[in-house]
Amino acid sequence: VALILGTPQYSLRTVMFGSKAAADLVATFLDSFQTPMAFAWEMSFAWTFATSYVSHVLARALGVINIPWGAFAPFYRHLKRLHGGAYNRMLVTGQRHTAMDVLERLDRREVPTLIVTGGKDFSAGKSVYREMHFAAPRASFVHLPEACHAGMIGEREAVTEALEAFLHEKRESVAFNRRRLYDATGMNVSPPESPVKTAGGRDVVADPLSPAISPIKE
């Protein structure tokens, strides 16, 4: 199960008004001056933490986030401890890929995938959604129109509901396919990582997500 809440490259591209060329130049600059930029980022984090309430009001006014300060306070506390050098390297390396290659690989291997997008996420617009659909056409998509970049906090209930529905659907599909395989071949297949016990010459899967085989009700 892969939950895609964002894609790396678009952080710098968004700041540079959608221009990949400009974002690449910024990444090159950040890479060339790692030590001073690490110091600059840490000063910025300290300032953001010290003035988090004002910063939060500004971010809400700009449409970056749309959740109350109290719900976002843990992020500000974490920001104070974030290493500037690590953050700088994340921006630089993140500019080199978009995670679409990961989505393509998951889709080719038919790995159950859930993609959740937010209508008010400043770092991933409609063009990103189209790229995701193209990269993983088999994936399940859930779009939350009011979700911002911190949608997992602001739209917690909706994200949880999407996850539960996705897992329930995939669990039912797996159980149904195993039952069909057993009816056709007499084989009971269990996941490689799951412990398997033998009872009466028949394999029983000891896996909470894979209930024991039972007759299908018409």
Side-chain angles (χ1 to χ4, degrees):
V1 177
L3 175 65
I4 309 299
L5 290 172
T7 51
Q9 191 179 92
Y10 296 95
S11 297
L12 285 178
R13 190 188 296 189
T14 301
V15 175
M16 301 311 296
F17 305 101
S19 172
K20 184 179 183 301
D24 287 340
L25 287 175
V26 172
T28 301
F29 175 83
L30 296 176
D31 194 29
S32 302
F33 300 95
Q34 293 186 37
T35 301
M37 286 308 305
F39 178 76
W41 283 122
E42 291 192 0
M43 292 298 98
S44 174
F45 297 155
W47 180 84
T48 303
F49 173 77
T51 61
S52 61
Y53 188 78
V54 176
S55 303
H56 192 85
V57 172
L58 179 61
R60 293 193 71 172
L62 293 175
V64 176
I65 53 178
N66 57 3
I67 60 178
W69 179 88
F72 215 57
F75 168 80
Y76 293 121
R77 288 195 293 269
H78 172 75
L79 194 65
K80 183 177 65 171
R81 303 192 302 271
L82 187 60
H83 188 272
Y87 184 75
N88 194 70
R89 291 302 304 166
M90 181 190 71
L91 291 175
V92 171
T93 56
Q95 185 61 21
R96 297 172 185 163
H97 67 96
T98 64
M100 296 303 173
D101 54 339
V102 177
L103 283 178
E104 290 174 356
R105 182 172 299 179
L106 291 172
D107 195 70
R108 285 198 304 269
R109 297 184 178 182
E110 299 185 10
V111 176
T113 305
L114 171 65
I115 298 178
V116 179
T117 58
K120 296 183 178 180
D121 186 349
F122 72 95
S123 70
K126 292 182 179 179
S127 62
V128 181
Y129 306 157
R130 286 194 293 270
E131 289 183 46
M132 288 181 173
H133 274 280
F134 183 79
R138 294 187 183 92
S140 298
F141 284 81
V142 173
H143 183 69
L144 305 177
E146 298 301 316
C148 63
H149 194 54
M152 71 291 295
I153 300 176
E155 299 289 332
R156 184 180 306 170
E157 293 80 8
V159 172
T160 300
E161 183 179 343
L163 275 171
E164 289 178 343
F166 174 75
L167 294 173
H168 180 72
E169 176 190 352
K170 297 307 174 184
R171 181 169 53 218
E172 285 193 335
S173 298
V174 169
F176 178 75
N177 288 333
R178 286 181 184 165
R179 178 60 188 176
R180 290 185 62 188
L181 178 64
Y182 182 79
D183 288 342
T185 66
M187 295 173 59
N188 187 10
V189 181
S190 58
E193 298 82 6
S194 300
V196 177
K197 299 179 181 179
T198 302
R202 177 180 166 190
D203 290 338
V204 177
V205 180
D207 182 357
L209 292 183
S210 307
I213 291 178
S214 57
I216 297 177
K217 296 181 179 180
E218 298 294 339

